[in-house]
Amino acid sequence: SVSGLAAKDFLLRSIEVKMAANQHIEEAIAFQSEALSPLQPEEAIRVPLIEKKEKGKTTAQLFTIPKERFRAHLNALEKLGIDPDVVSTVPSALCRFIDWKFPDLMGAFILDLGSKEITCALLEQGKLKKSYSLSQGVEDLLLALHEDRKKILLKEEIEGAAKQIDLLLLKSGLNPHLSEKLNEMRQELARVRQSLSKGSVLPIIFTGRSDSFMHL
């Protein structure tokens, strides 16, 4: 079995090592990764994935996971009776999913709409380059809708009602809490997209609970 660390539980950065000889590349990457990390060596797990080797230069993607986050991830799984053989990351899984569905697509901005958080992943040259997570998700939108409709709908009826709402036709005056939450999420995602993609024009792909509302 495979589990996935959330985007908030690790740091990801590209590193470049310039060396004439290849036999000490791993040691050089390990040394540079420790120098770049704000965590002490004993506080983190560092996993470099070598992407490209050229004459005198090697590039790698460095995953840095605080050990306390890693332990918390395993403890949460243990409570569910799960003992994973491999621990990967959610953004990595999203990129692999897109590669499976669209093998010719080399770049995209992926938004996974989860119940409690939204995961953002930047796919470049067919690989995960950057990631970020927002600590809010579809359930926050449903709670906002319930606040607007609590006089006429029970809480257990909200999810069904949401599927009938076309967000392109949403009237903010009748749905003030939902409109406010949508605008808040929209602005935050626009900021994250700009930060991760640095202005690059990439297709946006939605995964997760994208059918919670019409035109979400």
Side-chain angles (χ1 to χ4, degrees):
S1 61
V2 181
S3 68
L5 289 164
K8 65 178 181 292
D9 291 335
F10 67 92
L11 302 173
L12 174 62
R13 67 168 66 196
S14 296
I15 60 175
E16 183 178 290
V17 177
K18 295 181 179 179
M19 291 186 67
N22 283 330
Q23 62 265 34
H24 300 298
I25 287 295
E26 285 74 15
E27 291 91 334
I29 289 176
F31 177 80
Q32 186 166 326
S33 67
E34 290 185 7
L36 291 172
S37 174
L39 299 171
Q40 295 298 317
E42 66 275 8
E43 296 176 334
I45 300 169
R46 296 176 178 84
V47 182
L49 299 181
I50 295 177
E51 291 187 313
K52 187 191 303 183
K53 285 187 177 182
E54 297 176 341
K55 188 175 182 180
K57 184 174 68 174
T58 297
T59 56
Q61 288 290 90
L62 178 66
F63 291 78
T64 302
I65 307 104
K67 288 184 178 179
E68 61 178 39
R69 296 288 184 90
F70 192 75
R71 283 192 290 266
H73 175 75
L74 294 180
N75 288 339
L77 293 177
E78 185 179 12
K79 292 178 181 178
L80 299 173
I82 299 172
D83 182 15
D85 300 302
V86 176
V87 176
S88 182
T89 74
V90 171
S92 300
L94 290 171
C95 289
R96 292 193 184 101
F97 173 73
I98 297 306
D99 179 59
W100 172 65
K101 292 291 290 183
F102 310 104
D104 296 329
L105 185 64
M106 300 303 290
F109 183 68
I110 307 167
L111 288 176
D112 182 65
L113 305 174
S115 297
K116 299 295 185 181
E117 67 180 12
I118 299 175
T119 301
C120 309
L122 182 68
L123 178 72
E124 281 187 353
Q125 298 177 342
K127 300 179 184 298
L128 172 66
K129 289 297 183 180
K130 299 175 183 177
S131 64
Y132 189 83
S133 67
L134 276 67
S135 57
Q136 52 187 334
V138 171
E139 290 298 326
D140 294 276
L141 296 177
L142 296 177
L143 285 173
L145 176 61
H146 180 247
E147 191 65 27
D148 292 328
R149 307 288 178 90
K150 61 185 178 182
K151 292 184 179 180
I152 58 174
L153 289 175
L154 298 175
K155 193 169 184 179
E156 54 267 25
E157 297 174 320
I158 289 298
E159 192 165 338
K163 291 181 180 294
Q164 308 303 315
I165 296 177
D166 188 339
L167 295 183
L168 294 180
L169 303 176
L170 188 69
K171 298 184 184 301
S172 59
L174 299 176
N175 304 276
H177 293 90
L178 178 58
S179 297
E180 182 181 0
K181 179 56 68 174
L182 280 169
N183 287 332
E184 177 187 322
M185 283 187 175
R186 184 183 293 115
Q187 292 173 10
E188 181 69 6
L189 288 171
R191 183 189 67 78
V192 173
R193 181 190 176 200
Q194 177 65 26
S195 175
L196 294 188
S197 62
K198 302 299 183 184
S200 299
V201 179
L202 295 170
I204 301 176
I205 298 180
F206 289 88
T207 62
R209 298 180 63 181
S210 58
D211 63 343
S212 300
F213 293 80
M214 293 174 63
H215 293 120
L216 177 56

